[in-house]
Amino acid sequence: MIVRPYQLSDKEPLIGIFNLNTPTYFDPVEVRDYEGYLDLYGDTYFTIEHDQKIVGGMGYIIRENEHSASITWIFFHPDYKGLGLGSFAVNHCLTIFKSRQDIETLTIRTSQLVYPFFEKFGYRLIHSEKNYWGQGLDLCVMEMLNKPDGTQ
């Protein structure tokens, strides 16, 4: 597996993979939000490759004024489920966050379908809202403290 910086040429294949995860994990209208995100935050987005093929992506945002950071828009091609790509990607972001003394809190906004995955890393559910992303896709806000020594 390779995590590399996002390139503009990755946009079309990533949108194709995003659409394969719709409507199971994303509401169809979210593709516009994702495209806009790539345009604004492509410098903190990563493309994930497996066997030299683009299989997913994920990014992060650091809010320096809030001393916080978030993993954003993480998803993978459904055919590559179970290969550890999600854990690989999350650990990549956590390594970036833990190297920064100014980041105190890590947050993630996800759905009820995925939040148990993030619990494995130490994130805890702090808020939820029904049908926030779309019908049947609830908002789950999760948080954990960022401790450079790796403890939770």
Side-chain angles (χ1 to χ4, degrees):
M1 287 177 259
I2 296 172
V3 175
R4 63 169 175 76
Y6 166 78
Q7 301 168 6
L8 190 55
S9 60
D10 299 336
K11 190 173 188 178
E12 187 176 324
L14 286 169
I15 289 170
I17 295 168
F18 182 94
N19 287 329
L20 292 174
N21 285 281
T22 304
T24 304
Y25 296 104
F26 299 103
D27 190 78
V29 300
E30 289 184 271
V31 71
R32 287 189 305 270
D33 295 336
Y34 177 62
E35 289 176 12
Y37 177 89
L38 290 175
D39 292 340
L40 290 173
Y41 301 104
D43 59 330
T44 59
Y45 200 76
F46 297 97
T47 300
I48 292 105
E49 293 183 352
H50 182 71
D51 292 335
Q52 301 177 346
K53 180 178 179 183
I54 294 174
V55 296
M58 55 100 192
Y60 67 89
I61 293 177
I62 293 176
R63 292 176 212 80
E64 292 181 6
N65 61 329
E66 297 176 17
H67 304 283
S68 69
S70 298
I71 295 173
T72 58
W73 294 108
I74 181 171
F75 61 87
F76 300 95
H77 193 292
D79 290 349
Y80 292 83
K81 187 175 181 174
L83 296 179
L85 296 171
S87 295
F88 183 76
V90 170
N91 282 321
H92 182 81
C93 282
L94 293 178
T95 298
I96 293 168
F97 299 157
K98 290 184 186 313
S99 72
R100 304 248 332 225
Q101 296 289 329
D102 60 325
I103 298 174
E104 298 170 1
T105 306
L106 306 179
T107 61
I108 191 155
R109 293 166 35 109
T110 189
S111 75
Q112 80 280 11
L113 303 173
V114 183
Y115 92 84
F117 168 76
F118 290 102
E119 286 181 320
K120 297 175 191 176
F121 297 92
Y123 284 91
R124 295 291 166 245
L125 183 65
I126 60 168
H127 173 76
S128 64
E129 188 175 326
K130 288 278 188 202
N131 299 316
Y132 179 88
W133 304 111
Q135 187 62 37
L137 293 170
D138 303 345
L139 167 67
C140 294
V141 179
M142 304 183 78
E143 181 178 279
M144 78 169 160
L145 297 179
N146 184 39
K147 297 185 179 178
D149 63 2
T151 62
Q152 302 304 317

PDB file of all heavy atoms in Angstrom, residues 105-121:
ATOM      1  N   THR A 105      -6.750  18.204  20.239  1.00  0.00           N
ATOM      2  CA  THR A 105      -7.952  17.388  20.081  1.00  0.00           C
ATOM      3  C   THR A 105      -8.077  16.912  18.642  1.00  0.00           C
ATOM      4  O   THR A 105      -7.874  17.684  17.709  1.00  0.00           O
ATOM      5  CB  THR A 105      -9.206  18.201  20.451  1.00  0.00           C
ATOM      6  OG1 THR A 105      -9.046  18.754  21.752  1.00  0.00           O
ATOM      7  CG2 THR A 105     -10.455  17.332  20.438  1.00  0.00           C
ATOM      8  N   LEU A 106      -8.434  15.640  18.489  1.00  0.00           N
ATOM      9  CA  LEU A 106      -8.675  15.057  17.173  1.00  0.00           C
ATOM     10  C   LEU A 106     -10.163  14.765  17.053  1.00  0.00           C
ATOM     11  O   LEU A 106     -10.757  14.175  17.955  1.00  0.00           O
ATOM     12  CB  LEU A 106      -7.873  13.768  17.005  1.00  0.00           C
ATOM     13  CG  LEU A 106      -6.379  13.881  17.273  1.00  0.00           C
ATOM     14  CD1 LEU A 106      -5.710  12.524  17.099  1.00  0.00           C
ATOM     15  CD2 LEU A 106      -5.738  14.924  16.379  1.00  0.00           C
ATOM     16  N   THR A 107     -10.752  15.207  15.961  1.00  0.00           N
ATOM     17  CA  THR A 107     -12.180  14.986  15.754  1.00  0.00           C
ATOM     18  C   THR A 107     -12.402  14.298  14.413  1.00  0.00           C
ATOM     19  O   THR A 107     -11.550  14.334  13.525  1.00  0.00           O
ATOM     20  CB  THR A 107     -12.964  16.320  15.765  1.00  0.00           C
ATOM     21  OG1 THR A 107     -12.489  17.148  14.712  1.00  0.00           O
ATOM     22  CG2 THR A 107     -12.833  17.024  17.095  1.00  0.00           C
ATOM     23  N   ILE A 108     -13.562  13.708  14.303  1.00  0.00           N
ATOM     24  CA  ILE A 108     -13.979  13.144  13.022  1.00  0.00           C
ATOM     25  C   ILE A 108     -15.496  13.212  12.964  1.00  0.00           C
ATOM     26  O   ILE A 108     -16.179  13.033  13.971  1.00  0.00           O
ATOM     27  CB  ILE A 108     -13.456  11.702  12.817  1.00  0.00           C
ATOM     28  CG1 ILE A 108     -13.681  11.285  11.380  1.00  0.00           C
ATOM     29  CG2 ILE A 108     -14.064  10.726  13.782  1.00  0.00           C
ATOM     30  CD1 ILE A 108     -12.748  10.228  10.893  1.00  0.00           C
ATOM     31  N   ARG A 109     -15.998  13.518  11.781  1.00  0.00           N
ATOM     32  CA  ARG A 109     -17.440  13.531  11.523  1.00  0.00           C
ATOM     33  C   ARG A 109     -17.696  12.406  10.541  1.00  0.00           C
ATOM     34  O   ARG A 109     -17.215  12.432   9.423  1.00  0.00           O
ATOM     35  CB  ARG A 109     -17.864  14.883  10.958  1.00  0.00           C
ATOM     36  CG  ARG A 109     -17.718  16.000  11.972  1.00  0.00           C
ATOM     37  CD  ARG A 109     -17.794  17.397  11.374  1.00  0.00           C
ATOM     38  NE  ARG A 109     -18.690  17.573  10.268  1.00  0.00           N
ATOM     39  CZ  ARG A 109     -19.856  18.248  10.311  1.00  0.00           C
ATOM     40  NH1 ARG A 109     -20.239  18.806  11.438  1.00  0.00           N
ATOM     41  NH2 ARG A 109     -20.594  18.371   9.236  1.00  0.00           N
ATOM     42  N   THR A 110     -18.448  11.424  10.987  1.00  0.00           N
ATOM     43  CA  THR A 110     -18.684  10.236  10.180  1.00  0.00           C
ATOM     44  C   THR A 110     -20.141   9.825  10.325  1.00  0.00           C
ATOM     45  O   THR A 110     -20.965  10.596  10.801  1.00  0.00           O
ATOM     46  CB  THR A 110     -17.689   9.120  10.590  1.00  0.00           C
ATOM     47  OG1 THR A 110     -17.793   8.047   9.654  1.00  0.00           O
ATOM     48  CG2 THR A 110     -17.900   8.637  12.002  1.00  0.00           C
ATOM     49  N   SER A 111     -20.463   8.609   9.942  1.00  0.00           N
ATOM     50  CA  SER A 111     -21.836   8.108  10.061  1.00  0.00           C
ATOM     51  C   SER A 111     -21.887   6.948  11.051  1.00  0.00           C
ATOM     52  O   SER A 111     -20.858   6.416  11.472  1.00  0.00           O
ATOM     53  CB  SER A 111     -22.356   7.637   8.692  1.00  0.00           C
ATOM     54  OG  SER A 111     -21.772   6.397   8.350  1.00  0.00           O
ATOM     55  N   GLN A 112     -23.101   6.547  11.365  1.00  0.00           N
ATOM     56  CA  GLN A 112     -23.307   5.420  12.272  1.00  0.00           C
ATOM     57  C   GLN A 112     -22.785   4.112  11.674  1.00  0.00           C
ATOM     58  O   GLN A 112     -22.531   3.150  12.389  1.00  0.00           O
ATOM     59  CB  GLN A 112     -24.791   5.291  12.650  1.00  0.00           C
ATOM     60  CG  GLN A 112     -25.682   4.614  11.617  1.00  0.00           C
ATOM     61  CD  GLN A 112     -26.121   5.494  10.449  1.00  0.00           C
ATOM     62  OE1 GLN A 112     -25.621   6.592  10.241  1.00  0.00           O
ATOM     63  NE2 GLN A 112     -27.093   5.000   9.679  1.00  0.00           N
ATOM     64  N   LEU A 113     -22.584   4.089  10.374  1.00  0.00           N
ATOM     65  CA  LEU A 113     -22.088   2.886   9.717  1.00  0.00           C
ATOM     66  C   LEU A 113     -20.595   2.680   9.941  1.00  0.00           C
ATOM     67  O   LEU A 113     -20.106   1.556   9.871  1.00  0.00           O
ATOM     68  CB  LEU A 113     -22.362   2.965   8.208  1.00  0.00           C
ATOM     69  CG  LEU A 113     -23.819   3.152   7.801  1.00  0.00           C
ATOM     70  CD1 LEU A 113     -23.922   3.390   6.312  1.00  0.00           C
ATOM     71  CD2 LEU A 113     -24.656   1.963   8.237  1.00  0.00           C
ATOM     72  N   VAL A 114     -19.872   3.764  10.212  1.00  0.00           N
ATOM     73  CA  VAL A 114     -18.420   3.701  10.256  1.00  0.00           C
ATOM     74  C   VAL A 114     -17.841   4.042  11.634  1.00  0.00           C
ATOM     75  O   VAL A 114     -16.713   3.684  11.930  1.00  0.00           O
ATOM     76  CB  VAL A 114     -17.817   4.635   9.175  1.00  0.00           C
ATOM     77  CG1 VAL A 114     -16.309   4.540   9.136  1.00  0.00           C
ATOM     78  CG2 VAL A 114     -18.391   4.308   7.805  1.00  0.00           C
ATOM     79  N   TYR A 115     -18.623   4.680  12.486  1.00  0.00           N
ATOM     80  CA  TYR A 115     -18.020   5.134  13.739  1.00  0.00           C
ATOM     81  C   TYR A 115     -17.421   4.006  14.577  1.00  0.00           C
ATOM     82  O   TYR A 115     -16.391   4.220  15.234  1.00  0.00           O
ATOM     83  CB  TYR A 115     -18.974   6.036  14.540  1.00  0.00           C
ATOM     84  CG  TYR A 115     -19.845   5.359  15.547  1.00  0.00           C
ATOM     85  CD1 TYR A 115     -19.362   5.076  16.831  1.00  0.00           C
ATOM     86  CD2 TYR A 115     -21.150   5.021  15.247  1.00  0.00           C
ATOM     87  CE1 TYR A 115     -20.166   4.460  17.768  1.00  0.00           C
ATOM     88  CE2 TYR A 115     -21.956   4.411  16.173  1.00  0.00           C
ATOM     89  CZ  TYR A 115     -21.467   4.129  17.429  1.00  0.00           C
ATOM     90  OH  TYR A 115     -22.255   3.518  18.360  1.00  0.00           O
ATOM     91  N   PRO A 116     -17.947   2.766  14.556  1.00  0.00           N
ATOM     92  CA  PRO A 116     -17.273   1.707  15.326  1.00  0.00           C
ATOM     93  C   PRO A 116     -15.826   1.458  14.865  1.00  0.00           C
ATOM     94  O   PRO A 116     -14.974   1.100  15.677  1.00  0.00           O
ATOM     95  CB  PRO A 116     -18.149   0.471  15.094  1.00  0.00           C
ATOM     96  CG  PRO A 116     -19.508   1.032  14.800  1.00  0.00           C
ATOM     97  CD  PRO A 116     -19.231   2.282  14.007  1.00  0.00           C
ATOM     98  N   PHE A 117     -15.562   1.667  13.591  1.00  0.00           N
ATOM     99  CA  PHE A 117     -14.196   1.532  13.088  1.00  0.00           C
ATOM    100  C   PHE A 117     -13.262   2.524  13.786  1.00  0.00           C
ATOM    101  O   PHE A 117     -12.162   2.176  14.209  1.00  0.00           O
ATOM    102  CB  PHE A 117     -14.175   1.753  11.569  1.00  0.00           C
ATOM    103  CG  PHE A 117     -12.803   1.925  10.987  1.00  0.00           C
ATOM    104  CD1 PHE A 117     -11.971   0.832  10.813  1.00  0.00           C
ATOM    105  CD2 PHE A 117     -12.347   3.181  10.627  1.00  0.00           C
ATOM    106  CE1 PHE A 117     -10.694   0.995  10.272  1.00  0.00           C
ATOM    107  CE2 PHE A 117     -11.085   3.347  10.087  1.00  0.00           C
ATOM    108  CZ  PHE A 117     -10.255   2.246   9.919  1.00  0.00           C
ATOM    109  N   PHE A 118     -13.698   3.763  13.925  1.00  0.00           N
ATOM    110  CA  PHE A 118     -12.850   4.790  14.535  1.00  0.00           C
ATOM    111  C   PHE A 118     -12.692   4.603  16.045  1.00  0.00           C
ATOM    112  O   PHE A 118     -11.705   5.061  16.618  1.00  0.00           O
ATOM    113  CB  PHE A 118     -13.380   6.181  14.198  1.00  0.00           C
ATOM    114  CG  PHE A 118     -13.179   6.530  12.750  1.00  0.00           C
ATOM    115  CD1 PHE A 118     -14.233   6.464  11.858  1.00  0.00           C
ATOM    116  CD2 PHE A 118     -11.932   6.883  12.270  1.00  0.00           C
ATOM    117  CE1 PHE A 118     -14.046   6.759  10.520  1.00  0.00           C
ATOM    118  CE2 PHE A 118     -11.730   7.176  10.932  1.00  0.00           C
ATOM    119  CZ  PHE A 118     -12.796   7.119  10.051  1.00  0.00           C
ATOM    120  N   GLU A 119     -13.638   3.914  16.662  1.00  0.00           N
ATOM    121  CA  GLU A 119     -13.479   3.607  18.090  1.00  0.00           C
ATOM    122  C   GLU A 119     -12.229   2.771  18.345  1.00  0.00           C
ATOM    123  O   GLU A 119     -11.600   2.896  19.396  1.00  0.00           O
ATOM    124  CB  GLU A 119     -14.718   2.878  18.625  1.00  0.00           C
ATOM    125  CG  GLU A 119     -15.920   3.767  18.803  1.00  0.00           C
ATOM    126  CD  GLU A 119     -17.119   3.019  19.348  1.00  0.00           C
ATOM    127  OE1 GLU A 119     -17.364   1.863  18.942  1.00  0.00           O
ATOM    128  OE2 GLU A 119     -17.826   3.612  20.191  1.00  0.00           O
ATOM    129  N   LYS A 120     -11.848   1.947  17.401  1.00  0.00           N
ATOM    130  CA  LYS A 120     -10.657   1.101  17.547  1.00  0.00           C
ATOM    131  C   LYS A 120      -9.382   1.924  17.729  1.00  0.00           C
ATOM    132  O   LYS A 120      -8.389   1.423  18.255  1.00  0.00           O
ATOM    133  CB  LYS A 120     -10.486   0.197  16.323  1.00  0.00           C
ATOM    134  CG  LYS A 120     -11.603  -0.775  16.106  1.00  0.00           C
ATOM    135  CD  LYS A 120     -11.385  -1.530  14.807  1.00  0.00           C
ATOM    136  CE  LYS A 120     -12.612  -2.331  14.423  1.00  0.00           C
ATOM    137  NZ  LYS A 120     -12.433  -2.993  13.123  1.00  0.00           N
ATOM    138  N   PHE A 121      -9.401   3.169  17.300  1.00  0.00           N
ATOM    139  CA  PHE A 121      -8.236   4.041  17.390  1.00  0.00           C
ATOM    140  C   PHE A 121      -8.278   4.945  18.613  1.00  0.00           C
ATOM    141  O   PHE A 121      -7.342   5.702  18.849  1.00  0.00           O
ATOM    142  CB  PHE A 121      -8.116   4.890  16.121  1.00  0.00           C
ATOM    143  CG  PHE A 121      -7.896   4.064  14.896  1.00  0.00           C
ATOM    144  CD1 PHE A 121      -8.968   3.633  14.135  1.00  0.00           C
ATOM    145  CD2 PHE A 121      -6.615   3.679  14.513  1.00  0.00           C
ATOM    146  CE1 PHE A 121      -8.775   2.852  13.013  1.00  0.00           C
ATOM    147  CE2 PHE A 121      -6.412   2.888  13.398  1.00  0.00           C
ATOM    148  CZ  PHE A 121      -7.495   2.469  12.643  1.00  0.00           C
TER     149      PHE A 121
END
